[in-house]
């Protein structure tokens, strides 16, 4: 039996390989053209040490100099020794280029563009084959006719042949303007997936916090949780600036109906808006959502919102069991990957 292994490199690049249960992760990676740094290949030097974010494996045999019992208990393992017993998500502590690999380049066809409101657009890409990513990750999409690319988080769950995105329609924005006027059938190039903002194994209640189109990666996580019910409570607080920014509420209601234990609420910052719940997401975080700190928090949105929520947690004196965030930083002009 072969398992899917996600290799997350230090530079944010993720590559997926198939690894039979009889093979080591190092051997399967090598066959896929990914050279995880190795020296002894015998569990003696520790050069191939990595961290397992999720999944089960047989750690193989090694000496204490290569991997201590304490490290093994924390989730560290040796690529030259470990054999998967389930799908795995592994953090490799070097950049992808050090393993002679990099982000995958792909081409997709624009399938549909939906103007959800004056401020927000969703679009979908039809892929030649189902794209593999971890729920919450993003890709860098080239803006056709330019040498620029922009990062967008998937709003759909992994594994489908059509992938969706949710973007803020920024007046005059390069990609926003392109997408707002694009016709289905146009080809788009992208590289990825990338990013360390992805849903880990659900071991406790989740608190999801979204600002504006920062909802996108959280929708992807919810899509994944619908297919793989979490067994813990999941609560989403979705904050926007104005009424027109509040989108995808029907999709959230559908997830609430289909994912056991999932609830959501929204608020708008504009005090003059029509939506009844006013204010910022932090005003709606209740002790029951924090669960005495035994909670995993996933936060995504524009940088000021992410900073405000981080400060809220720092000041609250409660440290969540884990805290993951993604800032939708405006892109500095970047040349597309060579
Ligand atoms: C990891 C990551 C994931 C991202 N995922 C998403 C996503 O799923 N959905 C999404 O909508 N965006 C996302 N972004 C932001 C996205 O990459 C672009 O920056 C954004 O869409 C603007 O691109 P543009 O080409 O339309 O505008 P640009 O041409 O880049 O910018 C035009 C002008 O608008 C300003 N500007 C850019 N972004 C904003 C903003 N958010 N608010 C106010 N002014 C802005 C710029 O400074 C510039 O002056 C993500 C960013 C990162 C880093
Ligand atoms: S390469 Fe030496 S322990 Fe794996």
């Amino acid at each position: 039996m072969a398992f899917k292994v996600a290799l997350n490199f230090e530079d944010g690049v993720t590559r997926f390989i198939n690894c039979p249960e009889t093979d080591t992760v190092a051997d399967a990676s090598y066959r896929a053209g990914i050279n995880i740094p190795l020296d002894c290949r015998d569990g003696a030097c520790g050069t191939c040490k990595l961290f397992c974010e999720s999944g089960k494996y047989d750690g193989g045999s090694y000496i204490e100099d290569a991997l201590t019992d304490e490290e093994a208990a924390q989730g560290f393992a040796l690529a030259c020794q470990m054999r998967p017993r389930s799908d795995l998500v592994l953090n490799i502590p070097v950049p992808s280029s050090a393993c002679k690999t990099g982000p995958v380049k792909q081409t997709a066809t624009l399938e549909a563009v939906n103007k959800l409101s004056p401020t927000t657009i969703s679009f979908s890409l039809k892929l030649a084959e189902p794209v593999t990513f971890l729920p919450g990750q993003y890709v860098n999409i080239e803006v056709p006719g330019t040498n620029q690319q922009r990062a967008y988080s998937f709003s759909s769950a992994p594994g489908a042949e059509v992938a969706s995105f949710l973007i803020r329609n920024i007046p005059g924005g390069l990609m926003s303007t392109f997408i707002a006027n694009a016709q289905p059938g146009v080809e788009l190039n992208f590289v990825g997936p990338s990013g360390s903002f992805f849903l880990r194994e659900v071991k406790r209640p989740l608190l999801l916090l979204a600002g504006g189109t920062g909802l996108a990666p959280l929708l992807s996580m919810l899509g994944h949780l619908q297919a793989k019910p979490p067994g813990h409570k999941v609560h989403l607080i979705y904050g926007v600036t104005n009424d027109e920014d509040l989108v995808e509420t029907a999709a959230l209601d559908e997830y609430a109906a289909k994912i056991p234990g999932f609830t959501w609420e929204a608020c708008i910052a504009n005090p003059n808006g029509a939506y009844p719940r006013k204010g910022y997401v932090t005003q709606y975080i209740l002790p029951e959502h924090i669960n005495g700190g035994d909670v995993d928090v996933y936060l995504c949105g524009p940088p000021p919102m992410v900073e405000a929520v981080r400060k809220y947690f720092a000041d609250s004196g409660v440290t969540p069991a884990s805290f993951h965030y993604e800032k939708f930083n405006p892109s500095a002009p970047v040349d597309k990957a060579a």
Side-chain angles (χ1 to χ4, degrees), residues 38-41 43-48 78 80:
L38 300 173
D39 192 355
C40 70
R41 296 168 182 264
C45 69
T47 303
C48 64
L78 299 172
C80 73

Side-chain angles (χ1 to χ4, degrees), residues 138 150-153 166-168 170 173-176 213 216 326-331:
Y138 67 92
R150 297 287 184 266
Y152 292 107
S153 308
L166 183 69
I167 75 163
R168 177 157 173 221
I170 294 168
L174 196 62
M175 185 60 112
S176 304
T213 52
E326 180 96 277
K327 288 181 188 174
F328 279 2
N329 285 312
S331 312

Side-chain angles (χ1 to χ4, degrees), residues 34-291:
I34 299 169
N35 297 3
I36 294 176
L38 300 173
D39 192 355
C40 70
R41 296 168 182 264
D42 203 22
C45 69
T47 303
C48 64
K49 197 182 298 174
L50 49 73
F51 181 75
C52 181
E53 283 273 5
S54 72
K56 296 186 176 62
Y57 54 90
D58 176 341
S61 55
Y62 47 83
I63 62 169
E64 181 87 3
D65 279 353
L67 187 73
T68 64
D69 289 347
E70 197 183 348
E71 287 174 320
Q74 287 168 353
F76 288 93
L78 299 172
C80 73
Q81 296 299 308
M82 72 188 303
R83 290 175 169 82
R85 294 294 176 261
S86 74
D87 290 348
L88 297 175
V89 178
L90 305 176
N91 292 349
I92 315 292
V94 293
S96 55
S97 56
C99 301
K100 298 195 172 65
T101 186
V104 178
K105 295 184 187 184
Q106 296 187 62
T107 300
T109 308
L110 185 65
E111 183 163 272
V113 178
N114 291 312
K115 288 187 184 142
L116 301 179
S117 81
T119 60
T120 313
I121 303 175
S122 71
F123 68 93
S124 53
L125 298 180
K126 177 112 174 75
L127 305 147
E129 50 191 66
V131 68
T132 320
F133 59 93
L134 300 170
Q137 287 194 305
Y138 67 92
V139 286
N140 285 304
I141 305 180
E142 292 177 7
V143 188
T146 76
N147 66 347
Q148 300 288 307
Q149 51 182 225
R150 297 287 184 266
Y152 292 107
S153 308
F154 291 96
S155 60
S156 52
E161 277 174 14
V162 174
S164 314
F165 300 85
L166 183 69
I167 75 163
R168 177 157 173 221
N169 189 4
I170 294 168
L174 196 62
M175 185 60 112
S176 304
T177 306
F178 173 81
I179 289 290
N181 298 295
Q183 296 301 318
V186 172
E187 291 209 327
L188 290 172
N189 299 320
F190 64 89
V191 289
S194 299
S196 55
F197 185 71
F198 58 83
L199 184 65
R200 272 62 177 184
E201 207 172 320
V202 183
K203 297 179 180 161
R204 54 181 69 83
L206 304 182
L207 176 61
L208 312 179
L209 302 169
T213 52
L215 183 67
L218 303 180
L219 285 172
S220 178
M221 294 180 188
L222 291 170
H224 172 82
L225 292 175
Q226 184 183 319
K228 208 174 167 199
H232 292 277
K233 284 186 179 172
V234 179
H235 187 65
L236 165 72
I237 309 177
Y238 170 31
V240 297
T241 306
N242 294 304
D243 291 313
E244 61 195 18
D245 305 326
L246 196 58
V247 296
E248 299 287 21
T249 54
L252 292 172
D253 283 340
E254 211 173 310
Y255 282 133
K258 289 185 174 159
I259 303 172
F262 171 61
T263 50
W264 73 278
E265 62 191 309
C267 56
I268 69 162
N270 183 349
N272 301 315
Y275 195 72
R277 296 166 74 82
K278 306 288 194 304
Y280 297 103
V281 292
T282 46
Q283 290 168 242
Y284 292 92
I285 300 175
L286 301 176
E288 70 208 56
H289 302 141
I290 302 295
N291 198 31

